[in-house]
Amino acid sequence: MDTQHELPPITLATNDYNRLLFTVMMRQKHDPQTPDFLLAELRRAEVCHPAVLPEDVVSTNCRVIYRIDDDPKSRAHLLVHPEDLIWTGAEISVTTPLGTALLGLRIGDRMSFVEKEGQVHEVFVEGIGLRFLDDGRMVTRIPGGITWA
């Protein structure tokens, strides 16, 4: 598989950017190699206010529909910050190689990523489903439901 593509542009909301930058800095203290891909993506990201984040851009707290490599079956997960991970079967942490690759892409974009075992894959964003926006109220996600305070 030829995965040599120009990197697609990525867009992040300021709240995601700031929270992920903090996460990277904290993780670098424990394992300097873990956040390299995420840090590289943060460095090249265009950052905008959450209210103007385009609807076709993958962000945290959104359900992303995607395919990996040439797999005919689509997958769908909620992209979350690692400390917010509750349902591992339905969610994916943004700090995983796949999660980092998805972050900030637009529908129709492709991005290569390398698994921890060294396998190179390519993810293709097919769609974006439900998105939980941070509108200043506290959102609490618990097994079995979501509550707004």
Side-chain angles (χ1 to χ4, degrees), residues 15-97:
N15 53 344
D16 274 343
Y17 178 85
N18 293 333
R19 189 171 175 189
L20 289 169
L21 191 59
F22 178 77
T23 298
V24 166
M25 296 306 154
M26 295 306 293
R27 287 186 175 217
Q28 278 185 327
K29 290 181 179 183
H30 303 323
D31 183 1
Q33 294 179 348
T34 299
D36 286 349
F37 181 34
L38 180 55
L39 184 57
E41 290 297 280
L42 291 174
R43 286 183 177 147
R44 70 182 198 88
E46 178 182 324
V47 181
C48 69
H49 189 277
V52 297
L53 185 70
E55 291 182 16
D56 66 340
V57 171
V58 178
S59 68
T60 60
N61 298 319
C62 85
R63 184 171 182 258
V64 59
I65 303 153
Y66 62 94
R67 290 178 195 255
I68 295 179
D69 299 330
D70 297 323
D71 191 350
K73 185 177 179 187
S74 297
R75 304 174 190 197
H77 286 94
L78 186 67
L79 188 64
V80 298
H81 290 275
E83 55 276 2
D84 296 340
L85 190 65
I86 297 171
W87 300 292
T88 53
E91 299 172 339
I92 186 167
S93 170
V94 71
T95 57
T96 64

